[in-house]
Amino acid sequence: MVERPGARNEISGTVMGNVVQGRDIAVSLPTATPVAVTGLPAQAVFVGRRVELGRLANALDPAGANSPGGSVVVSAVAGLAGVGKTTLAVRAAHDAIAAGWFPGGVLMVDLRGYDAPERQVLPSAALASLLGALGTPSEHIPADQSDRERLWRSRLAQRHASGQRMLIVLDNASSSDRVRPLLPGTDGHRVVITSRHSLADLDGARLLDVDVLSAEQAIDLLQQELVAAHPGDDRVRADPGAADRLGQLCGGLPLAVRIAAALLGADPDQPVSELTEALAAEHNRLEELEYDGSLSVRAAFDLSYQHLGQKPAQLFRLLALNPGPEISTEAAAALANRPTVETRRLVGQLRRAHLLLPGSARGRWRMHDLVRVYATERISQDPAKEPALERLINYYLTNTQEAGRHFGAHTQHAKEGGQVTTWKEAIEWLDTEYPNLLTTVTLAHNTGRSHCALHLPLALYPYFHLRKHWTDWVATHRLALLAARRLRDRQGEGFALINLGSALRDQAQFDGSSLPTTIPGNLP
């Protein structure tokens, strides 16, 4: 070994272990962990949502106002399964990146909050994924979740200090607890969360509920999906009526429309009307809205349903029994045989899960058409079905009889102290519940509940007379007359004939052709 002039090696003191001396030492460092901050998926076909995109843009724009107290701006996008929450969030994120609002990039993680428990991404695992995306070597990621949170927020603070503002998209969060550990601790960054639940307990979050598409938007989405698969596909334009009906049968739910488009795209020769005909039968509609095991409306609803507790899940099933378009909290309480206060709490849980939607007035509720089909499937074999249906029918009958007392109607078994105590309240209640009451008469007739089929029309007589609903008046009293004869109730038959005769007289129908003379053989 030839020493370089002036080179000198000297060791002094006590030395323990090996000593390595060298003139030229080369140190190989590990390859730097790559940074992955452009993790957005490709944009899907997108229609409508201008208002929602505008609200998200206002929240993401760094020139906009920050949350109170200087905290990070969080937008929580919520809605029914399959309504397009993720599609909206991805589109808004792409627009924000294109606008140059986030020079530090975007991170997106699917929390799988509604999958089976073993597939869900817990906060600790999500933090590890996010830290890795920022270039943190795996051996430097702490094992403890709280330490990961501190490191995550420190990394974000460093990026913000260097002008690297970031957008974080947290998809499919099942609760606020799953996202709180992932939120930045400094202002400047933005977060978009999607969930099937309204995350109103997330402090400072800007809430955005996403609704289904309008009829026109549903048709537009169908058309664009078909043209994307087969340029020049003109089946929607060739049969706009069938396309409109298809959008209605899909309930404006983007997932359902995309499945319909995939089914049509897989068979370019299939007319839209043929698929519409296949979806027309309610009992197998969810069966038809499935594509090759990868897209399924029922599977999407299954994940939301399985996330419910026992009591709200039972109420969800029972609500499908209501014959009308919407139901009051009080009627739901009778249906479920629970106190109104408890029912209101359970209804709130279903509302936050977007399995139940607000109705025409406060305290009234409705289901999306496809959700109702799903709930109907769930209740079909439930032993609680018949007792619950009996309670609901009795609820409508009893309250209608109570309302009838204020008109001096021909009612029997009316009870004091119900929901209706004045003539004005009686009118308001009857106006509100009228669609439910009509369908309850038909339901009672079709299920052999002759007592209700007779007495509910009789209790509605003064209301029919007041509102001049002659067509419904005649139709319901024809059923009442049949029920009275089936029951061999001579007094009830007399009241039904008197009321029916009044309706026919008011319409100048004197030939008696509207009076049933026999009980059809197929009636119970």
Side-chain angles (χ1 to χ4, degrees), residues 8-49:
R8 182 182 178 188
N9 291 309
E10 181 177 332
I11 300 176
S12 62
T14 301
V15 178
M16 298 181 66
N18 298 326
V19 176
V20 178
Q21 291 179 289
R23 186 186 67 189
D24 299 320
I25 300 175
V27 178
S28 297
L29 297 175
T31 303
T33 303
V35 177
V37 291
T38 56
L40 284 176
Q43 297 186 63
V45 173
F46 192 89
V47 299
R49 308 294 194 206

Side-chain angles (χ1 to χ4, degrees), residues 404-412 458-462:
R405 287 191 300 105
H406 299 281
F407 293 84
H410 302 305
T411 62
Q412 301 176 27
L458 296 184
L460 282 169
Y461 164 72

Side-chain angles (χ1 to χ4, degrees), residues 1 7 43 124 140 234 267 276 307 325-326 331 345 434 491:
M1 175 178 174
Q43 297 186 63
S124 183
H140 293 166
D234 64 348
D267 185 357
T276 300
H307 199 76
E326 60 182 39
R345 184 168 61 251
Y434 186 64
Q491 182 184 42

Side-chain angles (χ1 to χ4, degrees), residues 351-504:
R351 169 69 184 94
R352 290 190 291 276
H354 291 85
L355 291 172
L356 204 57
L357 303 171
S360 58
R362 183 168 180 80
R364 300 189 65 78
W365 309 96
R366 63 182 178 89
M367 283 181 164
H368 182 275
D369 290 347
L370 293 179
V371 173
R372 182 168 185 145
V373 172
Y374 178 82
T376 300
E377 289 184 354
R378 285 284 178 174
I379 194 61
S380 61
Q381 302 301 321
D382 194 322
K385 176 181 176 179
E386 289 303 318
L389 193 57
E390 190 71 24
R391 289 192 300 270
L392 181 65
I393 289 175
N394 287 337
Y395 167 85
Y396 285 131
L397 173 60
T398 300
N399 281 278
T400 304
Q401 289 174 332
E402 290 177 359
R405 287 191 300 105
H406 299 281
F407 293 84
H410 302 305
T411 62
Q412 301 176 27
H413 314 298
K415 297 187 294 185
E416 299 285 347
Q419 292 186 50
V420 176
T421 59
T422 67
W423 184 84
K424 181 180 179 182
E425 288 180 354
I427 293 296
E428 291 175 349
W429 189 86
L430 291 167
D431 281 341
T432 301
E433 296 292 354
Y434 186 64
N436 283 326
L437 300 178
L438 288 181
T439 51
T440 298
V441 173
T442 304
L443 175 64
H445 170 77
N446 291 338
T447 58
R449 291 174 167 87
S450 299
H451 178 81
C452 179
L454 168 62
H455 291 287
L456 186 51
L458 296 184
L460 282 169
Y461 164 72
Y463 180 76
F464 286 141
H465 191 273
L466 176 70
R467 295 301 192 203
K468 308 305 180 187
H469 294 316
W470 286 301
T471 300
D472 296 335
W473 183 348
V474 170
T476 57
H477 275 76
R478 291 184 67 193
L479 297 180
L481 186 56
L482 290 171
R485 291 173 176 172
R486 186 187 300 128
L487 293 168
R488 294 178 172 82
D489 183 341
R490 299 294 290 172
Q491 182 184 42
E493 183 179 0
F495 282 136
L497 284 169
I498 291 171
N499 294 350
L500 186 54
S502 297
L504 297 174

Side-chain angles (χ1 to χ4, degrees), residues 44 100 123 128 130 151 153 244 299 331 385 427 459 489:
L130 291 168
L151 181 59
R153 292 184 176 120
D244 181 64
K385 176 181 176 179
I427 293 296
D489 183 341

Side-chain angles (χ1 to χ4, degrees), residues 238-315:
D239 194 349
D244 181 64
R245 178 60 178 154
L246 182 60
Q248 294 177 25
L249 292 171
C250 291
L253 189 70
L255 173 61
V257 176
R258 292 182 191 278
I259 291 173
L263 293 169
L264 290 169
D267 185 357
D269 296 325
Q270 182 183 28
V272 176
S273 59
E274 184 177 296
L275 180 58
T276 300
E277 183 179 348
L279 295 177
E282 185 176 285
H283 66 275
N284 66 350
R285 191 173 303 161
L286 295 183
E287 198 72 30
E288 294 290 339
L289 286 172
E290 185 269 340
Y291 182 78
D292 202 25
S294 60
L295 292 173
S296 170
V297 171
R298 181 187 283 111
F301 290 168
D302 278 340
L303 296 179
S304 292
Y305 176 77
Q306 292 163 8
H307 199 76
L308 297 173
Q310 180 181 359
K311 289 183 179 180
Q314 182 191 49
L315 179 60

